[in-house]
Amino acid sequence: MLSLRGAASPDDLAGGRALPKTLRRIAMVTVMATAVLLVFVDMRALTLLGAAALVLFLLLAWRQFRTGTWVPILLSVAVLVLALRQGVAAEVLWRAADRMVFLSALIAMLGTLRSAAAIAPEVLQAGAYVTNQPASRRYLAMTFGGHLFGVLINFGGLALLLDLAKRAMTTEAAAHLPADAREARLRRMTLAVIRGFSMISLWSPFGFATNAILIAVPGVSYMDFGPVGFAMSFVFVAIGWSLDRLDGRRFRRLGLPRPSPPPGSWRGAVALVAHVLALGASVFAAHELTPLSFQQALICAVPVYALLWAASAGRRTMGQASAGVGAATRATWARLSDLGAEVGVFAAAGFLPVLLLALLPTEDLRASIVALGLGPLSLTLGLSLLTVVMALCGVNPIVSASVFGSIAAQLEVPGLSNTAIALAITGGWTAVIGLSPFITTLVIAATIMGRSTSRIGLVWNGPYCLAIFLTWALFLTALM
């Protein structure tokens, strides 16, 4: 997970485990293929095939599970047993299986972009450009860099940019810095990347938050909440930049060496922006010009764009488009066996909400809310806070967002619109993604930077996360 190119996992080094690894890859390819076919053909046989392949994959990949994966997986099993005992309609089970297969395939499909980026020279150019900015511009450059890399290649982009930042600390110029200045620079670069990456949750149409909400909350569209989140992301950038300036003010009088990006590396940053815009335009065009939903357009457009990007990169760096396609395909195939932790979370996020809605007494819940005097504003702020609290307890935001979003929409509380539900969840998600020690974002950052997840999230990034959460709460209060 930590290398953009997909470093071998420990069990890759053991020849005796080659068969389970291959079976995991075959199972995940089956899940991906059935998810795409289900976009065009509604067949329960396909859903059954995809669900069976997904269960097989998870059984073979259980050693990759972390706390944040075990919690929703075990909860899903418990809810399934309860649903079977209570005789939940078969149609509900089929719908839950369909969503489970789709979301699991989506996380794997997004990995194809990461494989294409691994051979694209503009990615490394862009990384060198943002990590070698002088201190006065470095925070903004790395925040927007973390954002763009994350939008396009997700965790692969986060890992690449953090790795480049870590390498920047090993240069001769950095070696001559005072120890406290080196630690401060490492901290500030790490936080800039994480904060930029976390803002994907606010608006990105390719992000997990957006797609979880679009699936969980019926009737809400991307345009209902995406543009609002995009506008607020600039407010969050300003908050982060202000905190960074306060953190670095004591070093400005030391006359430290001024880094500069390699000549021409700005072209890589421009190219990366162009890729984000082109991919976004293709997804929106497919959605507007065809009967496909937004998520269906996304899962179809991403692998096609990755294929074209790999072909272009191969022609430029290897002399042949086919060489680039082959390299990206091999990287994707190799990485499929190591997606256990992520796929487990996404599978639960698709499965749990559907069954819980069938089991929970929504009328009784609505009556209880009325009896407690909870209005739409308190419920909105409560949703946002619950997303944060659950993540701090080890429940990934995509699970809590899917469950809480579905339940809140089903309750149909007067004054609580689907847009308010979506905004509440995205704000809480953005605030906690760089705070909870259980979140994959901080696990990756801690591994690369050599600091604990608690230190990076709770100690270094805690004040920022609290500031943006309070800002978001005030924003929601004013909006409603």
Side-chain angles (χ1 to χ4, degrees), residues 183-197:
E183 180 69 9
R185 180 177 290 186
L186 178 71
R187 178 177 66 250
R188 292 168 69 188
M189 288 195 297
T190 302
L191 293 181
V193 175
I194 290 174
R195 291 169 184 174
F197 182 82

Side-chain angles (χ1 to χ4, degrees), residues 450-466:
R451 305 294 187 273
S452 70
T453 55
S454 297
R455 183 171 182 80
I456 295 175
L458 299 174
V459 179
W460 288 359
N461 209 29
Y464 166 81
C465 294
L466 178 61

Side-chain angles (χ1 to χ4, degrees), residues 10-310:
D11 61 0
D12 286 342
L13 305 177
R17 297 184 181 178
L19 180 58
K21 183 173 57 177
T22 302
L23 288 176
R24 290 200 300 269
R25 291 168 179 162
I26 294 173
M28 186 47 57
V29 168
T30 304
V31 173
M32 295 163 70
T34 53
V36 173
L37 288 173
L38 283 168
V39 171
F40 305 99
V41 182
D42 186 12
M43 288 180 58
R44 287 190 171 178
L46 281 176
T47 301
L48 182 61
L49 175 62
L54 178 58
V55 171
L56 175 62
F57 174 86
L58 293 175
L59 289 173
L60 292 171
W62 68 270
R63 289 185 178 86
Q64 300 172 14
F65 293 178
R66 299 185 289 268
T67 301
T69 309
W70 277 116
V71 171
I73 286 287
L74 293 177
L75 183 59
S76 297
V77 173
V79 170
L80 175 61
V81 172
L82 182 61
L84 293 175
R85 290 185 63 179
Q86 294 194 6
V88 168
E91 181 60 35
V92 175
L93 296 174
W94 283 112
R95 192 163 65 250
D98 189 67
R99 283 196 184 182
M100 177 178 70
V101 170
F102 182 86
L103 275 180
S104 300
L106 181 60
I107 180 64
M109 285 295 192
L110 289 171
T112 60
L113 289 172
R114 181 176 167 190
S115 299
I119 58 174
E122 59 266 27
V123 173
L124 290 176
Q125 284 182 334
Y129 178 75
V130 300
T131 55
N132 286 282
Q133 293 292 324
S136 59
R137 299 194 299 267
R138 185 172 58 230
Y139 180 85
L140 292 178
M142 296 196 71
T143 295
F144 285 112
H147 194 62
L148 285 174
F149 275 60
V151 166
L152 198 57
I153 44 181
N154 211 275
F155 289 124
L158 173 71
L160 172 67
L161 206 52
L162 287 172
D163 186 58
L164 289 172
K166 182 69 177 292
R167 290 186 200 176
M169 299 304 301
T170 62
T171 62
E172 185 176 350
H176 288 88
L177 293 175
D180 58 341
R182 282 201 307 273
E183 180 69 9
R185 180 177 290 186
L186 178 71
R187 178 177 66 250
R188 292 168 69 188
M189 288 195 297
T190 302
L191 293 181
V193 175
I194 290 174
R195 291 169 184 174
F197 182 82
S198 69
M199 285 187 296
I200 296 170
S201 308
L202 279 178
W203 72 274
S204 172
F206 319 125
F208 303 149
T210 297
N211 285 280
I213 290 167
L214 288 174
I215 290 174
V217 183
V220 74
S221 73
Y222 173 79
M223 297 306 295
D224 290 335
F225 64 95
V228 177
F230 180 74
M232 283 298 292
S233 68
F234 291 95
V235 177
F236 288 3
V237 169
I239 293 172
W241 178 80
S242 300
L243 292 174
D244 179 77
R245 295 293 289 174
L246 287 173
D247 191 17
R249 61 183 177 179
R250 62 194 178 99
F251 299 106
R252 287 197 284 273
R253 297 188 299 270
L254 299 181
L256 300 177
R258 180 183 173 90
S260 60
S265 58
W266 62 269
R267 296 187 182 90
V270 172
L272 212 60
V273 174
H275 280 303
V276 173
L277 295 176
L279 178 57
S282 66
V283 174
F284 278 103
H287 172 49
E288 293 295 331
L289 301 177
T290 70
L292 299 180
S293 69
F294 187 86
Q295 293 77 35
Q296 290 172 336
L298 178 64
I299 204 171
C300 293
V302 162
V304 174
Y305 191 90
L307 184 69
L308 295 174
W309 190 10

